[in-house]
């Protein structure tokens, strides 16, 4: 998969248009921190072409499930995937892109897959790069200054710094109320998946989504293993794509860094690792 075209502006904005220097800074930081990242349109086009080369079932008879952060800036990728694969998408994701829908949501998704047909699961955390080239921030419509992106991930990192400074890792959270349960689990997932390496990294904000991806990959593996058998129609193929979504200012393409690209059976067993050439 290789890079592609610049996206249109997401929405009208009060922010000043990007200069050539702004665009250069953004693109430099994307490639410096996430080598191999693809422009979003090209990622979707190459994903479609690659899957179509393996099975005729990928295309109009594919149902997409995404597990991407609930931040509104991530809906563009979902729309492009749906347009290329069947017209609709199923959402499993919550804060920071974690598949909080879990086994129940995957089971429901599986029962919606056309038969004959195929399934495509796309998941991962996201990170912003603002017009100044700052990783972990994004420029938003109508706001004078850039802000945290991903905000949930940034809160988890702040929690990790505090916990590590105290020298301990608390047990998994058991929230008494659901009103912020997802953030409790995002914070705990980071602590169990390389928080010390993130905090000690030269650029913690750039390393943060890699640690969160590690946690999400484990979670998605458990969900598919538990929920695919008996739910995905017999003979259907599941394509699983995991990576890091990279948000950029309007006027620059968003990017996606593929890390996992697999074909699996209807029972969730690995058929082929398409990242291995």
């Amino acid at each position: 998969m290789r890079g592609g075209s610049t996206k249109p502006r997401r929405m009208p904005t009060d922010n000043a248009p990007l200069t050539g220097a702004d665009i250069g800074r953004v693109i430099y930081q994307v490639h410096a921190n996430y080598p191999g990242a693809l422009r979003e349109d090209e990622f979707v086009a190459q994903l479609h072409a690659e899957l179509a080369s393996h099975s005729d079932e990928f295309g109009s008879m594919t149902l997409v499930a995404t597990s991407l952060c609930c931040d509104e800036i991530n809906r563009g990728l979902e729309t492009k995937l749906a347009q290329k694969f069947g017209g609709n998408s199923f959402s499993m994701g919550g804060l920071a892109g974690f598949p909080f829908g879990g086994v129940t949501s995957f089971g429901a998704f599986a029962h919606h897959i056309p038969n004959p047909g195929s399934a495509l699961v796309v998941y991962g955390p996201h990170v912003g790069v603002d017009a100044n080239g700052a990783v972990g921030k994004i420029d938003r419509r109508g706001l004078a200054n850039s802000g945290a992106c991903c905000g949930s991930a940034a809160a988890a990192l702040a929690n990790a710094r505090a916990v590590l400074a105290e020298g301990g890792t608390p047990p998994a959270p058991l929230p008494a109320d659901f009103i912020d349960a997802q953030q409790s689990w995002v914070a705990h997932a980071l602590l169990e998946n390389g928080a010390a390496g993130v905090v000690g990294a030269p650029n913690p904000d750039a390393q943060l989504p890699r640690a969160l991806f590690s946690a999400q990959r484990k979670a998605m593996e458990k969900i598919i293993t538990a929920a695919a058998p008996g739910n995905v129609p017999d003979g259907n193929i599941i394509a699983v794509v995991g990576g890091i979504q990279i948000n950029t200012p309007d006027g620059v393409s968003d990017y996606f860094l593929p890390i996992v690209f697999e074909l699996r059976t209807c029972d969730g067993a690995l058929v082929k690792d398409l990242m291995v050439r």
Side-chain angles (χ1 to χ4, degrees), residues 204-232:
D205 292 313
Q207 185 64 23
L208 178 58
R210 294 185 182 275
L212 294 178
F213 176 81
S214 177
Q216 291 176 21
R217 183 175 186 176
K218 295 172 186 175
M220 189 61 75
E221 178 71 26
K222 290 171 67 175
I223 290 168
I224 293 174
T225 299
N231 287 314
V232 177

Side-chain angles (χ1 to χ4, degrees), residues 7 12 17 23 70 122 124 130 142 157 165 167 225-227 235 245:
K7 68 180 180 184
I23 294 171
C70 44
V122 179
D130 73 9
L157 177 57
T225 299
Q245 195 175 2

Side-chain angles (χ1 to χ4, degrees), residues 227-245:
N231 287 314
V232 177
D234 288 345
N236 281 19
I237 301 173
I238 309 169
V240 181
V241 179
I244 297 172
Q245 195 175 2

